[in-house]
């Protein structure tokens, strides 16, 4: 059949382009074998290094850092009240995270109890911020009137240092969990709102045009173009929100209350317990880094196409 | 499995010489199109007083300086912008919005980055109610994946593909619903020269077999001559039709050495002088 014949030659020539773009097509079996051998050899040394090399560097780097710290602290240049040994700090941290509180302890509760308390406040606050912030941001991006009405408040609140509000909320609610959660929510809210808003606003016009041409309704465009495009922005917003929320919860606990890592820091300072103080600070660093790492992984999983832009 | 191009509506209704048939498909009459500029609170005329008829089975190339309104023209055909004055009709009915009878290939591919190759080609079937069963759609998607030689890349994401492969996804997406009209906005502009030539050749072959009606924007005079049955030269903004030229060169043009024909170079000279005039004449059309 005439058309059928034409079709097969059509396919053949598209195929030519494919062959051009595929570089791993083996032409000569011998050279292919050679390449394979090189690749296997590379895997045993270079491959392992590629995979774990940066981790090894990090671990060695950190070990050196803490050894230097230990030596410096033991040399006695700085009073141990201000600067504990690294081993003392790790010991306190390990004990505080694994053992239950001795009955004669100065501070009621171990590090682990305060950690869980802080994480609970933080997660409730950030969850509330997401529940409020994501829809608010999406609405602001999608509706010109909502945007006009809300944007002065969003920018105003976003530029006000939330710490300045802490005394006000203490006045309103006292040294309660409610006060702490409110401050966390307010701190985490604005990065989430602004990112979701920006995501909707920057959705590529050509993607929207393409969806329209292929018959998408307004709802289709929202669900199938704007939302997937905005999702990585929302995750970035939540990531920032967790960071801000972390700062807020520690500050709220330092201001007042009798629980949480912020409270533990002030108690450690009051009792000249520098090992405990440094242990808590180290813990805060570890928590923050883990949150960043986790949200990065979620981001890469949800929006792999953005990976190239980011890295 | 062969791609059964005879199954296509427009191919069967257009047996015989398509240039002899002269069946008007897209009819623009004194069409003026523009945009509202929200920021400056004024109107911008992109195209003024366009009158043009595109016949069924015809391959029309639009050529003109940047910003003259070529994209606006095919947007008006696709229905994502509507004329301010005058009319535009497709198949006898005024254009009121996008429809499954028209599909577009975009210069920047406009593939959804979160969808796989296969899912991108499937997208039009999700939005348009074509009354096809799931199995029919699966078959279609597979057939057009095969046509653009992307078998084996169904599950890849656009970011994992080369530019040429991405545009083949764009072409498959546009063709899969078997639209009456294919609109193409500089589809090969961002593709390297060698791949571009191969893709132009494929498009010509596909179009001559299927009698697909195409409105094709390009910046390249050579591309316009090697692909088009007619070339519409548009003047600077606000764009008006400056001249419409017939391309009377034998097809398929890629298999023969049409570039060495005297008619080719003559036409090329002609268009070149028209386009050069436009480029040199300055912004005489500003509102
Ligand atoms: N969405 C829009 N809003 C406002 N003005 C627009 C919009 N799209 C295009 N224009 C204006 O309309 C005019 C024609 O634009 P159009 O995109 O149709 O040009 P074009 O011929 O396709 O140009 P190019 O060859 O550079 O793609 C330009 O002056 C442009 O600034
Ligand atoms: Mg354009």
């Amino acid at each position: 059949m005439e058309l059928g014949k034409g079709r097969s030659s059509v396919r053949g020539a598209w195929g030519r382009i494919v062959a051009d773009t595929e570089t791993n097509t083996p032409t000569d079996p011998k050279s292919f074998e050679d390449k394979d051998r090189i690749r296997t050899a590379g895997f045993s040394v270079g491959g392992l290094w590629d995979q774990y090399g940066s981790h090894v560097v990090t671990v060695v780097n950190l070990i050196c850092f803490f050894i230097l710290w230990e030596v410096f602290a033991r040399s006695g240049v700085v009073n141990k009240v201000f600067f504990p040994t690294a081993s003392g700090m790790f010991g306190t941290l390990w004990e505080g995270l694994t053992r239950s509180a001795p009955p004669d302890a100065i501070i009621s509760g171990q590090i682990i109890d305060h950690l869980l308390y802080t994480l609970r406040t933080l997660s409730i606050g950030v969850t509330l911020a997401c529940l409020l912030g994501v829809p608010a941001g999406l609405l602001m991006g999608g509706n010109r009137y909502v945007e006009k009405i809300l944007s002065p408040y969003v920018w105003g609140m976003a530029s006000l240092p939330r710490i300045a509000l802490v005394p006000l909320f203490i006045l309103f609610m006292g040294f309660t969990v409610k006060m702490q959660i409110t401050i966390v929510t307010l701190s985490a809210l604005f990065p989430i709102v602004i990112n979701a808003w920006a995501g909707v606003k920057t959705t590529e016009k050509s993607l929207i045009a393409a969806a329209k041409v292929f018959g998408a309704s307004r709802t289709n465009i929202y669900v199938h173009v704007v939302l997937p495009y905005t999702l990585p922005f929302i995750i970035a917003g939540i990531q920032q929100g967790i960071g801000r929320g972390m700062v807020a919860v520690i500050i709220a606990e330092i201001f007042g209350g009798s629980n949480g890592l912020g409270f533990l820091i002030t108690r450690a300072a009051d009792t000249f317990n520098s090992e405990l103080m440094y242990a808590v600070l180290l813990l805060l660093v570890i928590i923050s880094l883990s949150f960043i790492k986790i949200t990065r992984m979620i981001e890469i999983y949800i929006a792999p196409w953005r990976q190239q832009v980011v890295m | 499995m062969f791609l059964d191009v005879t199954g296509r509506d427009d191919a069967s209704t257009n047996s015989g010489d398509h240039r002899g048939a002269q069946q008007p498909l897209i009819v623009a009459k004194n069409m003026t199109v523009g945009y509202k500029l929200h920021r400056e609170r004024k109107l911008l005329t992109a195209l003024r007083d366009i009158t043009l008829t595109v016949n069924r089975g015809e391959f029309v190339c639009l050529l003109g300086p940047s910003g003259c309104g070529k994209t606006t023209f095919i947007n008006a055909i696709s229905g994502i912008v509507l004329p301010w004055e005058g009319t535009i009709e497709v198949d006898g009915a005024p254009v009121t919005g996008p429809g499954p009878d028209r599909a577009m290939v975009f210069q920047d591919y406009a593939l959804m980055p979160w969808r796989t190759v296969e899912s991108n080609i499937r997208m039009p079937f999700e939005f348009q109610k074509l009354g096809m069963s799931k199995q029919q759609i699966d078959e279609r998607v597979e057939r057009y994946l095969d046509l653009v030689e992307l078998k084996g890349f169904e599950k890849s994401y656009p970011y994992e593909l080369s530019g040429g492969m991405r545009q083949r996804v764009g072409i498959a997406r546009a063709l899969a619903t078997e639209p009456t009209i294919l609109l193409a906005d500089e589809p090969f502009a961002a593709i390297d020269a060698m791949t571009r030539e191969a893709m132009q050749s494929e498009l010509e072959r596909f179009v001559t077999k299927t009698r697909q009606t195409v409105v094709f924007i390009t910046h390249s005079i050579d591309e316009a001559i090697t692909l088009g049955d007619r070339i519409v030269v548009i003047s600077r903004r606000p764009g008006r039709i400056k001249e419409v030229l017939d391309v009377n060169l034998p097809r398929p043009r890629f298999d023969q050495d049409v570039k060495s024909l005297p008619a080719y170079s003559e036409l090329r000279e002609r268009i070149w002088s028209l386009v050069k005039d436009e480029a040199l004449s300055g912004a005489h059309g500003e509102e």
Side-chain angles (χ1 to χ4, degrees):
Chain A
M1 199 178 70
E2 208 245 341
L3 285 178
K5 213 173 78 203
R7 156 77 191 92
S8 71
S9 60
V10 165
R11 185 214 242 155
W14 283 115
R16 202 172 57 227
I17 313 168
V18 173
D20 286 347
T21 51
E22 267 179 38
T23 48
N24 58 355
T25 320
T27 40
D28 175 18
K30 197 155 163 266
S31 73
F32 183 62
E33 251 169 44
D34 281 353
K35 231 190 278 169
D36 223 23
R37 189 145 21 92
I38 294 164
R39 207 187 292 150
T40 332
F43 181 75
S44 55
V45 189
L48 273 179
W49 181 252
D50 282 347
Q51 224 176 335
Y52 301 112
S54 72
H55 296 294
V56 172
V57 170
T58 308
V59 168
V60 171
N61 184 4
L62 286 179
I63 289 174
C64 291
F65 173 78
F66 285 116
I67 288 174
L68 279 177
W69 176 335
E70 185 77 20
V71 170
F72 183 72
R74 277 173 192 264
S75 72
V77 177
V78 180
N79 192 327
K80 270 196 180 169
V81 172
F82 307 119
F83 194 71
T85 59
S87 56
M89 173 184 71
F90 280 117
T92 308
L93 183 59
W94 180 250
E95 210 166 293
L97 288 177
T98 51
R99 293 203 194 142
S100 56
D104 59 338
I106 314 163
I107 303 160
S108 62
Q110 284 282 23
I111 295 177
I112 183 79
D113 304 316
H114 293 282
L115 171 66
L116 291 177
Y117 180 87
T118 298
L119 286 182
R120 201 190 55 165
T121 311
L122 181 65
S123 46
I124 293 173
V126 171
T127 307
L128 281 175
C130 289
L131 290 177
L132 292 170
V134 173
L138 292 179
L139 275 174
M140 285 179 75
N143 185 302
R144 222 168 339 132
Y145 301 104
V146 177
E147 180 179 29
K148 255 271 172 316
I149 292 165
L150 289 187
S151 64
Y153 304 107
V154 169
W155 287 125
M157 282 301 292
S159 51
L160 179 72
R162 258 83 46 188
I163 309 313
L165 293 173
V166 176
L168 181 70
F169 288 120
I170 292 176
L171 205 63
F172 272 141
M173 292 175 266
F175 298 110
T176 56
V177 195
K178 219 162 82 185
M179 174 272 288
Q180 294 172 343
I181 290 174
T182 309
I183 290 165
V184 173
T185 306
L186 273 182
S187 300
L189 185 61
F190 294 98
I192 294 173
V193 172
I194 289 169
N195 273 280
W197 178 17
V200 176
K201 291 302 260 189
T202 57
T203 306
E204 260 178 65
K205 296 290 169 286
S206 68
L207 295 184
I208 294 177
K212 271 190 197 165
V213 165
F214 291 110
S217 64
R218 266 184 83 88
T219 323
N220 285 153
I221 291 173
Y222 247 87
V223 175
H224 292 282
V225 184
V226 174
L227 271 186
Y229 190 90
T230 307
L231 200 55
F233 285 80
I234 293 174
I235 290 166
I238 294 174
Q239 191 176 318
Q240 286 173 27
I242 293 173
R244 299 277 188 83
M246 188 84 182
V247 173
V249 73
I250 297 302
I251 284 171
E253 286 168 355
I254 286 176
F255 261 88
S258 51
N259 276 305
L261 293 178
F263 164 76
L264 207 53
I265 290 174
T266 44
R267 284 311 295 264
D270 290 349
T271 55
F272 298 100
N273 189 344
S274 65
E275 284 178 357
L276 179 61
M277 165 95 94
Y278 278 71
V280 173
L281 292 178
L282 181 68
L283 190 59
L284 288 176
V285 171
I286 293 169
I287 295 168
S288 299
L289 288 181
S290 324
F291 273 132
I292 290 172
K293 187 84 189 163
I294 290 167
T295 41
R296 282 268 157 78
M297 275 159 57
I298 294 173
E299 202 178 343
I300 288 170
Y301 177 74
I302 287 184
W305 69 92
R306 286 177 65 89
Q307 212 176 318
Q308 294 186 319
V309 185
V310 175
M311 290 180 187
Chain B
M1 196 191 81
F2 282 142
L3 175 75
D4 183 17
V5 281
T6 47
R8 301 191 41 146
D9 299 348
D10 44 349
S12 50
T13 52
N14 267 293
S15 45
D17 188 77
H18 60 290
R19 266 186 242 186
Q22 297 290 343
Q23 203 182 340
L25 184 60
I26 306 168
V27 181
K29 276 196 196 121
N30 305 104
M31 182 180 67
T32 297
V33 199
Y35 299 93
K36 249 190 223 114
L37 298 179
H38 284 296
R39 202 147 316 144
E40 296 163 55
R41 291 164 185 277
K42 68 174 191 184
L43 303 173
L44 179 140
T45 314
L47 283 173
R48 169 152 301 167
D49 202 22
I50 298 289
T51 300
L52 183 76
T53 300
V54 177
N55 294 315
R56 210 177 265 275
E58 203 175 20
F59 196 124
V60 171
C61 288
L62 303 181
L63 203 62
S66 187
C68 72
K70 302 182 295 295
T71 301
T72 307
F73 198 172
I74 64 168
N75 282 346
I77 299 171
S78 77
I80 56 178
V81 301
L82 297 175
W84 286 352
E85 285 166 35
T87 56
I88 180 148
E89 293 181 354
V90 168
D91 220 355
V95 173
T96 53
D101 53 339
R102 288 149 287 152
M104 197 175 320
V105 180
F106 295 83
Q107 177 177 351
D108 57 354
Y109 321 130
L111 302 173
M112 305 298 154
W114 47 86
R115 282 177 180 251
T116 60
V117 166
E118 194 199 0
S119 169
N120 263 291
I121 299 173
R122 197 180 287 277
M123 189 186 77
F125 296 97
E126 292 171 20
F127 296 154
Q128 289 163 349
K129 301 278 165 283
L130 297 172
M132 290 171 70
S133 71
K134 172 142 193 336
Q135 197 197 340
Q136 282 172 309
I137 294 172
D138 288 348
E139 240 173 63
R140 260 312 168 76
V141 171
E142 196 178 322
R143 198 196 289 174
Y144 280 87
L145 253 168
D146 195 24
L147 173 75
V148 297
E149 280 298 332
L150 281 171
K151 271 279 168 63
F153 292 95
E154 294 95 331
K155 296 278 170 274
S156 301
Y157 285 89
Y159 73 93
E160 298 168 318
L161 305 179
S162 71
M165 291 163 88
R166 281 182 217 183
Q167 194 55 297
R168 267 150 49 207
V169 180
I171 291 170
R173 175 177 66 178
L175 292 177
T177 53
E178 304 197 336
T180 317
I181 300 165
L182 178 70
L183 304 165
D185 192 351
E186 302 187 44
F188 306 139
I191 291 167
D192 69 278
M194 287 206 6
T195 313
R196 186 191 311 142
E197 195 147 317
M199 290 181 74
Q200 288 168 345
S201 150
E202 285 326 308
L203 182 66
E204 194 204 12
R205 244 181 253 197
F206 179 83
V207 161
T208 35
K209 292 296 171 208
T210 58
R211 305 250 189 272
Q212 175 75 54
T213 310
V214 185
V215 180
F216 189 102
I217 297 177
T218 176
H219 265 119
S220 154
I221 297 174
D222 285 307
E223 190 172 62
I225 301 176
T226 43
L227 289 176
D229 294 322
R230 274 198 297 163
I231 298 172
V232 178
V233 180
I234 301 175
S235 68
R236 288 179 153 273
R237 190 168 64 79
R240 294 163 201 266
I241 293 179
K242 194 179 167 82
E243 193 139 348
V244 181
L245 303 106
D246 283 313
V247 186
N248 290 310
L249 293 170
R251 278 191 195 274
R253 294 173 193 157
F254 274 91
D255 291 352
Q256 308 165 31
D257 200 8
V258 288
K259 289 193 182 179
S260 61
L261 296 176
Y264 185 97
S265 38
E266 227 170 77
L267 193 60
R268 198 176 189 288
E269 281 298 307
R270 186 88 194 289
I271 298 171
W272 173 240
S273 69
L274 284 171
V275 173
K276 198 174 63 181
D277 276 1
E278 272 315 310
L280 294 179
S281 63
H284 62 76
E286 294 296 321
E287 319 276 286

